[in-house]
Amino acid sequence: MSLIHVSVFSLVATLIGTSRNSRWRGWGLLTGSVLAIYWLQPATPVRHFDFWLPTIALALTIFVWVATHRKRSFDIRSEIFTALVIAALVLGVGFTRYLTIGWHLTQTRPPSTLNILVALIGFGLISFLLLRIRRESRLGLWLLAFLILGLFIIIKSDQLATWASRAARVWTGQFPELASSADVSWLGFSYLALRLLHTLRDQTTGRLPALSLQEYVTYVIFFPALTAGPIDRADRFVRDLRAARRITAVHVVEGGTRIVFGLFKKFVLADSLAIIALNSANALQVKSSLWLWILLYAYAAQIYLDFSGYTDVAVGIGRLAGIELPENFDRPYLKPNIVAFWNSWHITMAKWFRAYFFNPLTRFFLRSKHKLSPWMVIFLAQLSTMALIGLWHGVTWNFLVWGIWHGLGLYIHNRWVAFLKARSHVLPPSLYSNRGLKAASVLLTFHFVTIGWVWFALPEIGLSMTVLGRLFGM
Amino acid sequence: MVNRVGSTYFNRPFVWRTVGIVLLRALVLFVVLNLVYALLNPLAFLGQISLYNLLYPGRSRLPYGSDPKRSYNLTITQLEAMLASHEIHRTSKTGDEYRVLILGDSSVWGFLLKPDQTLSARINSSDYRTSSGRRVRAFNLGYPTMSIIKDLLLLERGLRYQPDLIIWFVTLESLPTWKQLDSPITQRNPGPTRGLIQRHDIRLDPQDEKFLDLSFWDRTIIGQRRQLADLVRLQLYGAMWASTSVYHHIP
């Protein structure tokens, strides 16, 4: 999000939040979110991708709603009306192709109206098909889950994304030789995928509340949280959406303050630190270990300020619109252990993986025929959850190692706590309240996390290992 | 704010008047800050505040770079900041030092040359001594544009650092009158350049339209946002210069 995006979103959110009519507020949020998904999508070298990627995101969202919505919960006519409004908005974005350059909502000129109409009819037919499948089995849910996961793996893997770009270039008549993974930069898909999978899973367990199409689409592509989260839960989000309260001056003051702080963190602090933060270009140029540590600390600060800055902006804009988005960060670098760190770093994502991967996996291990020892269950569950979190950032060896690093850290901490617990009767109670020990724990946790950032910041394992060696004078 | 949040004023339904008042106050504050800044015109003073020669070593060449992300350097034209980031600004001259200033264009600055290949670096690495035993220490004050008035501007500043010898490389290309004010340094430092023209009776028009005289608006924070950002970036790139010794990207 640029400063212009933030300014426009803040104004739109305030207009929506101050609306006296709650129905109009709902339509305002839906319209704003649908238009924002196109406006925020960056241009890609593949022709019209900046239009089709958001359109596919919208279509996927509607497919999942069709597969998960509760029958007879809502008036079918109003749902069809919502679908038509969304289609009209997509067509409206497409119509901007007839305006002069600079007036398109997308970064480049949208495709022809005929192509858009054909696509919309195609999506409508798929929705109808899903509705038919849905009546008979859960096949639709599984198909959608695999489709979302498949798309996710494609865009997060360099090789697969390049192949996808090559295929798209052949389709559009462009040079396939110029295909690159960067062509498939699908804005916000990581977050969108988690929200869609969350609703698919909650539908099978019966925890998903009844949501209208308008509410569901607004939840999945809510414009402040589109680019960098937080990953809200549908049941919590819809409670705010239905609360139908006008914002007060408190919301404006608090929301505005969060936005200003967020902008300062992102555009002043994080962007300045980016100049001296560790990256693949400067990693081998640095002359001494001391400087390498400074660059690594700068990276640790930059990634926190960048990410939490965006969260502040999202929470602030959400507040202006009358939606309380969940917090994503809670002073993570001041935590005394790695568990506390993961309870305060990218909180909503960590909660998602805990709820939809760690807990089911642990239950699976505990119920399996081949009984595993508790420590083995914890080891496998933590390691695989963190490895998956690593891969969520990108399907590369470095992200995988970063995840395993944290998984090992969590496991070692778990064993350490168990070790201390077993000896609690011989350990003095004052040990736990010792300030020096607490400070040392914070320092140790911070450095554990910071060393882990080496794999996160650098794209290759070999380079990461070289940098790690140099950090310790090797 | 904690106390006020509970007040009736803040809990009543939002009205546009509230945001209007807040925005108006912010606007007034912003305007006042800009006016005060423009009246004080503190850019020259701010340019002297530098982390170079304090937290990290001074640069051995004046800041110049078209690709900051790769060269950890950037082009700025503010003379105070340029010299404050240079190693010559570090300490006062010691008794056994024979200080040499080298002036000229990109050939002296060392365009496409590694740090150890510039003339000043070669002189310093040779560890020359004068007949009286003083150690020769050369400082590179070259700058990559061809204009002798630009060199003169840097020489005038350089004289403050007590040089014993000045080596000034001049090519014919840097002599034409019409080229003198083409350098961004001369254009963006109209006051000092006009001073040189008057003091040395140089045949150049002090009112030449190439001079970029700042309007009152240009002297506000908004007007000088780029220069202010560049000052901060120069300091940040200093950390990268100190950690890598890179200050020029050679493709």
Side-chain angles (χ1 to χ4, degrees):
Chain A
M1 274 195 283
S2 68
L3 278 173
I4 293 173
H5 289 130
V6 175
S7 309
V8 172
F9 287 168
S10 302
L11 186 68
V12 170
T14 313
L15 283 169
I16 293 169
T18 51
S19 167
R20 288 173 195 276
N21 187 323
S22 61
R23 274 188 64 199
W24 283 115
R25 205 173 301 160
W27 285 113
L29 287 174
L30 176 75
T31 307
S33 299
V34 170
L35 296 179
I37 201 171
Y38 287 95
W39 193 33
L40 288 168
Q41 171 65 44
T44 87
V46 181
R47 199 172 297 136
H48 303 316
F49 246 35
D50 56 343
F51 180 86
W52 290 122
L53 291 177
T55 308
I56 294 169
L58 270 175
L60 272 176
T61 307
I62 294 172
F63 295 161
V64 173
W65 178 82
V66 169
T68 57
H69 85 282
R70 286 186 194 168
K71 276 181 269 182
R72 290 184 292 278
S73 294
F74 294 95
D75 177 14
I76 187 72
R77 280 176 301 183
S78 72
E79 304 302 353
I80 290 172
F81 180 69
T82 306
L84 289 174
V85 168
I86 295 170
L89 286 169
V90 174
L91 268 175
V93 173
F95 279 142
T96 61
R97 73 179 262 109
Y98 299 110
L99 302 174
T100 51
I101 293 170
W103 289 95
H104 311 315
L105 191 68
T106 45
Q107 298 297 313
T108 61
R109 195 169 177 229
S112 74
T113 310
L114 182 67
N115 284 350
I116 299 171
L117 274 172
V118 169
L120 288 175
I121 291 167
F123 292 146
L125 287 174
I126 295 171
S127 300
F128 182 70
L129 202 67
L130 277 168
L131 207 62
R132 294 296 298 269
I133 296 172
R134 184 184 185 282
R135 286 178 187 163
E136 289 151 21
S137 67
R138 284 183 172 176
L139 180 67
L141 296 181
W142 285 107
L143 279 175
L144 282 169
F146 280 118
L147 178 64
I148 294 161
L149 276 173
L151 284 171
F152 187 83
I153 292 167
I154 288 171
I155 64 165
K156 289 288 178 176
S157 153
D158 259 12
Q159 192 58 55
L160 294 175
T162 308
W163 286 342
S165 164
R166 193 183 294 266
R169 280 170 176 272
V170 170
W171 178 267
T172 57
Q174 291 173 273
F175 290 112
E177 297 81 12
L178 299 175
S180 144
S181 60
D183 295 349
V184 197
S185 53
W186 194 340
L187 184 104
F189 189 76
S190 313
Y191 296 93
L192 187 114
L194 290 192
R195 289 186 196 111
L196 294 177
L197 290 172
H198 140 65
T199 43
L200 282 171
R201 174 70 187 151
D202 278 9
Q203 168 67 14
T204 58
T205 54
R207 280 181 297 188
L208 189 70
L211 300 167
S212 69
L213 179 60
Q214 187 202 73
E215 289 169 337
Y216 186 71
V217 174
T218 307
Y219 157 69
V220 174
I221 59 163
F222 185 48
F223 63 90
L226 196 63
T227 46
I231 306 157
D232 207 350
R233 292 180 61 87
D235 46 347
R236 203 222 58 77
F237 182 86
V238 87
R239 268 202 306 273
D240 273 10
L241 202 61
R242 289 173 185 170
R245 50 174 187 189
R246 273 182 82 199
I247 57 166
T248 64
V250 176
H251 292 100
V252 177
V253 172
E254 288 182 353
T257 309
R258 278 300 285 270
I259 293 169
V260 171
F261 271 112
L263 291 176
F264 183 74
K265 278 158 89 172
K266 160 65 190 143
F267 291 104
V268 178
L269 298 179
D271 284 1
S272 298
L273 279 168
I275 290 175
I276 58 168
L278 181 72
N279 60 42
S280 56
N282 64 31
L284 291 178
Q285 292 175 325
V286 177
K287 292 181 296 184
S288 71
S289 295
L290 179 65
W291 272 112
L292 208 49
W293 277 107
I294 291 170
L295 265 59
L296 186 56
Y297 290 141
Y299 182 83
Q302 185 229 339
I303 193 168
Y304 167 68
L305 291 165
D306 191 300
F307 202 0
S308 71
Y310 268 133
T311 301
D312 287 339
V313 170
V315 171
I317 297 175
R319 209 164 275 177
L320 292 179
I323 303 284
E324 284 291 327
L325 288 171
E327 293 295 339
N328 238 358
F329 295 90
D330 177 22
R331 293 177 290 177
Y333 289 147
L334 296 176
K335 302 300 171 192
N337 59 64
I338 192 69
V339 174
F341 171 81
W342 275 107
N343 284 331
S344 57
W345 177 275
H346 208 168
I347 299 167
T348 55
M349 181 209 62
K351 276 185 178 170
W352 192 99
F353 278 95
R354 205 174 295 137
Y356 297 107
F357 189 77
F358 178 82
N359 292 344
L361 190 68
T362 311
R363 278 198 295 274
F364 168 78
F365 283 137
L366 292 173
R367 288 172 190 166
S368 71
K369 286 179 188 171
H370 309 286
K371 287 287 175 202
L372 294 171
S373 58
W375 67 265
M376 182 55 92
V377 170
I378 293 165
F379 177 75
L380 290 174
Q382 279 180 332
L383 211 66
S384 45
T385 305
M386 293 314 295
L388 199 65
I389 287 179
L391 292 172
W392 178 75
H393 292 88
V395 184
T396 67
W397 287 110
N398 261 46
F399 286 128
L400 180 68
V401 174
W402 173 78
I404 291 171
W405 171 257
H406 278 274
L408 286 172
L410 286 166
Y411 176 70
I412 291 166
H413 175 259
N414 180 281
R415 294 294 83 203
W416 173 246
V417 170
F419 174 82
L420 287 181
K421 208 172 179 181
R423 283 151 190 82
S424 57
H425 57 285
V426 290
L427 294 170
S430 59
L431 190 73
Y432 297 98
S433 55
N434 187 300
R435 281 187 177 185
L437 211 61
K438 272 188 181 170
S441 304
V442 169
L443 215 60
L444 186 69
T445 308
F446 171 72
H447 280 89
F448 179 84
V449 173
T450 301
I451 289 168
W453 288 134
V454 172
W455 286 293
F456 204 91
L458 305 175
E460 291 161 21
I461 291 280
L463 182 60
S464 306
M465 294 309 290
T466 308
V467 167
L468 282 169
R470 290 189 63 199
L471 279 169
F472 294 99
M474 290 185 275
Chain B
M1 199 181 96
V2 175
N3 294 331
R4 295 185 72 186
V5 164
S7 74
T8 325
Y9 175 78
F10 270 91
N11 277 330
R12 70 188 184 190
F14 174 82
V15 280
W16 281 100
R17 190 169 164 270
T18 316
V19 85
I21 292 167
V22 171
L23 287 178
L24 189 68
R25 283 179 184 171
L27 186 69
V28 169
L29 191 66
F30 185 67
V31 169
V32 169
L33 268 175
N34 270 277
L35 289 176
V36 171
Y37 181 90
L39 289 171
L40 292 175
N41 197 14
L43 198 64
F45 168 73
L46 293 173
Q48 290 170 34
I49 302 170
S50 181
L51 296 175
Y52 291 90
N53 300 307
L54 188 72
L55 275 186
Y56 21 83
R59 290 177 181 269
S60 48
R61 312 185 214 188
L62 288 167
Y64 176 86
S66 54
D67 188 359
K69 282 185 179 170
R70 284 177 163 182
S71 59
Y72 308 136
N73 203 345
L74 76 161
T75 300
I76 58 164
T77 51
Q78 216 244 327
L79 288 167
E80 287 78 10
M82 287 171 74
L83 284 152
S85 71
H86 199 280
E87 59 184 348
I88 198 170
H89 198 71
R90 184 176 48 202
T91 49
S92 53
K93 199 169 78 170
T94 53
D96 69 335
E97 180 184 328
Y98 185 80
R99 187 166 279 191
V100 180
L101 297 190
I102 307 180
L103 294 159
D105 54 29
S106 54
S107 61
V108 173
W109 186 86
F111 197 79
L112 297 180
L113 294 181
K114 290 177 182 171
D116 60 342
Q117 292 175 325
T118 63
L119 179 62
S120 56
R122 304 293 279 189
I123 291 172
N124 291 332
S125 65
S126 300
D127 197 25
Y128 291 124
R129 305 277 164 163
T130 62
S131 55
S132 58
R134 288 162 74 192
R135 196 169 58 84
V136 175
R137 179 80 172 89
F139 290 94
N140 184 347
L141 285 187
Y143 194 82
T145 42
M146 289 184 179
S147 153
I148 52 163
I149 197 150
K150 173 265 298 177
D151 294 339
L152 195 58
L153 202 58
L154 290 168
L155 173 62
E156 194 186 45
R157 301 283 164 145
L159 288 174
R160 297 174 187 175
Y161 299 100
Q162 303 163 284
D164 299 295
L165 176 69
I166 292 153
I167 306 175
W168 186 351
F169 289 85
V170 178
T171 61
L172 288 174
E173 193 70 18
S174 60
L175 293 173
T177 314
W178 55 269
K179 289 193 84 174
Q180 296 311 308
L181 299 178
D182 283 351
S183 172
I185 294 185
T186 54
Q187 290 173 1
R188 293 190 172 274
N189 290 283
T193 310
R194 284 191 183 112
L196 285 176
I197 292 170
Q198 280 158 7
R199 278 199 301 282
H200 302 290
D201 198 19
I202 298 169
R203 277 185 289 169
L204 287 172
D205 179 10
Q207 303 309 319
D208 195 298
E209 60 184 18
K210 285 179 184 168
F211 282 121
L212 295 169
D213 287 300
L214 299 182
S215 63
F216 186 76
W217 168 252
D218 292 331
R219 289 206 298 271
T220 61
I221 296 172
I222 291 287
Q224 294 196 342
R225 63 190 185 281
R226 177 61 193 263
Q227 290 94 318
L228 288 168
D230 279 352
L231 287 184
V232 175
R233 288 203 301 158
L234 181 67
Q235 305 309 314
L236 288 166
Y237 280 122
M240 293 313 299
W241 139 251
S243 62
T244 63
S245 295
V246 172
Y247 53 32
H248 181 40
H249 174 64
I250 301 171

